[in-house]
Amino acid sequence: INDASAAENTVIATVPVGTNPEGIAFDSANNRMYVANQDDDTVSVINTTTNAVDATISVGTNPDGIAFDSANNRMYVANAVANTVSVINTATNAVDATISVGTTPSGIAFDSANNRMYVPNYSDDTVSVINTTTNAVDATISVGDGPRAIAFDSANNRMYVPNYSDD
């Protein structure tokens, strides 16, 4: 065993955050990690140099997915029970906007090519498309049953949405 590779696969810190942490995203502009805490309706801001929580931000009910908009330095948080997305200004760590989306938003992904956030809405089988310049929903796309997550393929400029069904 190479000692260097063993060190790479070692836990270096455990950072206490809010209750039931669900989603996590990195703010590359400020070197901070943002953690969505589902049961206490907050987002914890972790300083990645000190591995300490620098701030706790109140957001909508049951924050789930979280994604960083690198073009505008904002964090977008899907609030599953509130049916909203909270927009956090990462310079001030304050919520600048709240956007209504579909029912039970669960995940979120940033389309860096077009400056759009895509939010799968689990209970109404849609994806909301948010223009990150205006913070408005530009489109709603019907997809398969129970979309929970989403990912952006920057090489092909496509979003991929897995669908969950009880059938």
Side-chain angles (χ1 to χ4, degrees):
I1 294 178
N2 180 337
D3 288 340
S5 66
E8 290 175 7
N9 294 312
T10 302
V11 174
I12 60 167
T14 300
V15 182
V17 294
T19 308
N20 194 16
E22 187 69 26
I24 189 166
F26 182 60
D27 168 2
S28 56
N30 297 298
N31 293 322
R32 291 184 289 207
M33 208 54 81
Y34 285 70
V35 180
N37 303 304
Q38 195 169 59
D39 288 349
D40 60 11
D41 307 332
T42 65
V43 171
S44 298
V45 183
I46 300 171
N47 179 321
T48 58
T49 302
T50 64
N51 288 323
V53 173
D54 281 350
T56 302
I57 305 162
S58 293
V59 293
T61 309
N62 282 93
D64 189 312
I66 187 167
F68 182 58
D69 168 2
S70 56
N72 296 298
N73 293 329
R74 291 184 285 206
M75 202 59 71
Y76 285 72
V77 184
N79 304 304
V81 172
N83 301 326
T84 61
V85 171
S86 297
V87 183
I88 299 171
N89 180 326
T90 58
T92 62
N93 282 331
V95 174
D96 279 353
T98 302
I99 305 162
S100 293
V101 292
T103 308
T104 321
S106 56
I108 192 164
F110 182 55
D111 170 355
S112 55
N114 297 296
N115 293 328
R116 300 286 186 271
M117 280 291 169
Y118 285 74
V119 183
N121 302 301
Y122 177 78
S123 294
D124 65 12
D125 305 333
T126 64
V127 172
S128 298
V129 182
I130 298 171
N131 179 325
T132 59
T133 302
T134 63
N135 282 333
V137 174
D138 278 354
T140 302
I141 304 165
S142 292
V143 294
D145 291 341
R148 293 178 133 167
I150 192 163
F152 181 58
D153 171 2
S154 58
N156 294 300
N157 202 32
R158 293 187 180 120
M159 283 290 170
Y160 284 78
V161 182
N163 298 291
Y164 173 82
S165 178
D166 293 338
D167 301 338

